[in-house]
Amino acid sequence: MNEGDIIVRIAAKGDGVTASGVHVKGAVPGDSVLADGTVESGPHRVSPPCQHSERCGGCQLQHADEETLRDFVTARVLNAAQGQGIEPEHLLPTHLSPPRSRRRATLHAMRTQKGAVVGFREGRAHTIVDLAQCEVLHPELVSLIPSLRSLIAEHGGRGGMDIGMALSDQGVDLSLTNMPVEGLAATEALLDFTRDHRLARLSVDHGFGPEPVWEPEPVTVSLSGIAVPMPVGAFLQATVDAEARMVEDATDWLSGAGKMVDLFSGLGTFTLGLREGRKTLGAEADHAAHLAAKSAAARTGGQVFAMHRDLFRNPLQPAELNNFEAALLDPPRAGAKAQTAQIAESALAHVVYVSCNPLSWSRDAATLAKAGFRLAKLRPVGQFRWSTHVELVSLFVR
């Protein structure tokens, strides 16, 4: 390494990279790397707001300032497009979710000889970081951690546990995996916990799927003004602000389109958001999510319809797609290779593609580009703040 090498960018996994291509853990652009490997702080390094930042795998970039975070998210998305020879006509400002805004997470826990540990796993390891604070999660979720630690210390079983947490309209929806509920004392402790913390729902999974053991009223999540039934473990956008930003973009970009199809529609985040002034169809493979979306659709006055369909194995064909004026896709991380190929063969002229994986998105974007689509608009989204996980919303026009 040369004396005084400067970090010029952050790599996909969070390491700083010098102009000569050397990766340096924990470095940010502007830092100097000396010949002995010592890193001298540059203008873009800040003090991490969380005491667990160096160990916790929930965050990788708390030592980077706001400008660096924004540049990192932007570069990840833009580089993915350019790697396929695609340039966006309009690169919109990157959206970053603020601290303490994440409304869903899966924590890990384990009973120990001294009590219990509850938190995220250590970066690139299986060790659980026992959280004393968290600057990413919504405070309502963080407030449960001390009581969860006490509950598990008293009644937890052997081996690790997973704790699913999400904010619903009624409060916190909590799911415990591998939590033995044996005997009257454990049962009473669990019910006392739910009442004391006014949980919206508590589910326990003994290996056969989560089963609600406490749900005073049906749990819902509001999407574009409609309360949608919320299945246990249902997918939600990580933050409310990022969801609103992406729904607003999609609504704005497709304002002139008539009938719409929302592919990989989930609970109807975008289907419901796009319903005004048009009819929309949401197609989803997960049965529980489909039934929830179908229930919500019934309250839209005939604007929204729900279809149960596995789009990986049975994508909508061109003849079906041609019944619509525009399409929106929000697939899992694997992307939508089969469905994108059918869109390329259809007569659709407007496609909004929402993605949580720039690499699979860029592969599908190349398929659309070969079919005559241009990338008209692109907005990078960083709703997993301080993480290397990056998302985006894009508009393709034929």
Side-chain angles (χ1 to χ4, degrees):
M1 187 176 297
N2 298 324
E3 180 73 24
D5 271 357
I6 303 298
I7 299 296
V8 295
R9 64 182 180 89
I10 296 178
K13 293 185 178 181
D15 292 340
V17 184
T18 67
S20 59
V22 176
H23 286 236
V24 181
K25 184 178 179 180
V28 297
D31 287 353
S32 298
V33 185
L34 305 183
D36 62 359
T38 302
V39 177
E40 290 188 348
S41 297
H44 296 291
R45 177 178 291 276
V46 297
S47 297
C50 178
Q51 62 182 293
H52 304 297
S53 64
E54 292 187 6
R55 292 184 58 221
C56 182
C59 296
Q60 295 83 40
L61 298 172
Q62 284 196 9
H63 56 292
D65 66 7
E66 197 78 0
E67 179 183 346
T68 302
L69 289 175
R70 194 175 303 277
D71 288 347
F72 170 76
V73 174
T74 305
R76 283 287 309 281
V77 172
L78 191 57
N79 290 343
Q82 292 172 339
Q84 296 286 353
I86 300 172
E87 288 285 348
E89 294 179 357
H90 299 283
L91 180 63
L92 302 178
T94 296
H95 177 89
L96 292 182
S97 291
R100 307 181 197 93
S101 62
R102 186 170 166 185
R103 62 174 170 179
R104 64 171 174 87
T106 298
L107 300 181
H108 307 287
M110 181 173 288
R111 189 178 184 182
T112 67
Q113 291 183 341
K114 297 182 179 180
V117 293
V118 178
F120 292 109
R121 295 197 189 280
E122 189 172 329
R124 304 178 189 180
H126 295 290
T127 305
I128 298 171
V129 177
D130 196 25
L131 292 182
Q133 71 176 112
C134 183
E135 298 300 309
V136 175
L137 296 180
H138 190 284
E140 195 170 350
L141 300 180
V142 176
S143 68
L144 291 177
I145 293 177
S147 296
L148 279 167
R149 188 180 291 111
S150 298
L151 178 70
I152 294 167
E154 186 70 23
H155 300 287
R158 296 180 179 179
M161 293 177 53
D162 287 339
I163 304 172
M165 316 173 81
L167 287 177
S168 70
D169 295 336
Q170 292 75 23
V172 177
D173 180 21
L174 196 69
S175 179
L176 304 176
T177 299
N178 197 30
M179 174 73 177
V181 186
E182 301 172 350
L184 181 61
T187 300
E188 289 181 340
L190 207 60
L191 293 177
D192 286 344
F193 179 89
T194 63
R195 286 191 290 264
D196 292 345
H197 295 281
R198 298 180 180 180
L199 297 185
R201 177 169 58 201
L202 175 66
S203 303
V204 179
D205 186 348
H206 295 292
F208 304 99
E211 298 180 4
V213 298
W214 172 269
E215 189 174 4
E217 60 180 290
V219 175
T220 62
V221 58
S222 291
L223 301 174
S224 296
I226 293 183
V228 181
M230 184 173 158
V232 178
F235 173 80
L236 300 175
Q237 294 294 338
T239 65
V240 174
D241 62 275
E243 175 182 280
R245 174 70 272 168
M246 292 189 289
V247 170
E248 183 177 340
D249 280 345
T251 303
D252 179 40
W253 299 346
L254 299 175
S255 59
K259 289 173 61 179
M260 283 279 312
V261 60
D262 179 7
L263 306 165
F264 308 94
S265 55
L267 297 179
T269 299
F270 293 97
T271 321
L272 295 170
L274 290 164
R275 72 185 187 275
E276 295 297 334
R278 62 172 66 88
K279 293 184 184 298
T280 61
L281 171 68
E284 171 59 39
D286 182 83
H287 193 248
H290 161 70
L291 291 178
K294 185 176 180 179
S295 173
R299 302 196 300 277
T300 64
Q303 290 177 297
V304 175
F305 303 87
M307 170 191 288
H308 186 222
R309 186 151 169 175
D310 185 340
L311 299 175
F312 287 108
R313 298 181 178 180
N314 185 23
L316 264 68
Q317 301 299 301
E320 297 172 290
L321 294 167
N322 291 344
N323 292 315
F324 303 95
E325 294 184 28
L328 183 142
L329 298 91
D330 184 14
R333 289 189 61 79
K337 184 177 181 179
Q339 186 60 79
T340 305
Q342 298 304 315
I343 291 174
E345 296 295 324
S346 75
L348 284 172
H350 294 81
V351 175
V352 168
Y353 195 138
V354 181
S355 175
C356 60
N357 184 349
L359 291 180
S360 61
W361 166 83
S362 67
R363 176 203 65 204
D364 295 341
T367 299
L368 295 176
K370 290 177 183 177
F373 284 90
R374 54 189 171 84
L375 179 54
K377 295 184 180 181
L378 176 63
R379 187 190 299 277
V381 177
Q383 61 175 321
F384 289 87
R385 187 177 183 84
W386 295 312
S387 164
T388 55
H389 189 79
V390 173
E391 305 188 55
L392 63 94
V393 58
S394 57
L395 171 65
F396 291 88
V397 178
R398 177 124 52 179

